[in-house]
Amino acid sequence: MFQRLFALLALSLTAMSPVLAQEPQMNLQRVRLTAGMYQIDAQVAQQPREREIGLMFRKEMPQQEGMLFVFEEPTTQCFWMKNTILPLTAAFVADDGRIVNLVDMQPQTTNTHCSEAPVRYVLEMNQGWFAKKNIKKGVKLGGAPFETHR
């Protein structure tokens, strides 16, 4: 009886928390963004728990995909890579879509990487994606999230 109860409890905890289960979150809402002539298919991490998990445990991500973290208010945002397997670049993005700064982040580290100014958005892409497309600080991203703040 205790084994069955323990198995049910373990199953419940796994269903409640992708972090406990070490499963990537793959079914978040998506938004289409643009960076110059390039299209980005971004998952949207808007709720606190979604932002906390982010891209943890993802083993691969197509080059045109990323994750857009959305916060309630612009503030200095800091990210780290604990439990994140993929090397990523974070674009810290102002309300109008302007990239404030870009930071390369190494997998499985707890080093903090922060925005140079208060931002509401952070877009994570595979490391090197922005550099290969010559997208730098100051470039404006397009898409629905940034249109409401222009």
Side-chain angles (χ1 to χ4, degrees):
M1 178 173 170
F2 287 112
Q3 286 179 329
R4 183 171 176 204
L5 183 60
F6 181 74
L8 286 173
L9 179 61
L11 183 59
S12 312
L13 289 173
T14 300
M16 289 180 352
S17 174
V19 172
L20 290 176
Q22 296 192 356
E23 292 291 325
Q25 55 186 353
M26 304 292 290
N27 298 316
L28 297 179
Q29 172 188 340
R30 291 178 177 268
V31 66
R32 176 83 51 195
L33 303 175
T34 58
M37 64 184 212
Y38 302 102
Q39 299 283 317
I40 300 166
D41 180 22
Q43 287 184 294
V44 179
Q46 191 160 357
Q47 300 303 315
R49 187 71 176 147
E50 295 168 349
R51 293 190 303 249
E52 180 183 335
I53 296 167
L55 289 168
M56 286 182 182
F57 313 114
R58 291 277 303 258
K59 293 180 180 162
E60 59 186 12
M61 184 168 63
Q63 285 301 306
Q64 75 283 1
E65 288 188 17
M67 183 170 284
L68 182 67
F69 296 79
V70 181
F71 296 88
E72 291 78 19
E73 296 291 327
T75 187
T76 300
Q77 302 295 342
C78 294
F79 278 55
W80 61 337
M81 296 283 286
K82 184 176 181 178
N83 298 320
T84 306
I85 300 166
L86 300 172
L88 300 171
T89 300
F92 295 96
V93 184
D95 280 358
D96 65 355
R98 181 181 45 83
I99 297 175
V100 171
N101 63 301
L102 294 159
V103 180
D104 285 341
M105 304 184 298
Q106 297 308 311
Q108 306 279 345
T109 62
T110 56
N111 303 336
T112 56
H113 308 280
C114 300
S115 60
E116 294 174 355
V119 297
R120 183 185 316 264
Y121 304 101
V122 180
L123 175 62
E124 288 183 343
M125 298 290 290
N126 284 305
Q127 193 169 99
W129 187 88
F130 293 100
K132 287 176 192 169
K133 310 284 192 249
N134 199 30
I135 298 168
K136 300 178 180 181
K137 176 179 179 171
V139 168
K140 280 196 175 184
L141 303 178
F146 314 119
E147 292 167 5
T148 59
H149 297 287
R150 288 185 192 258

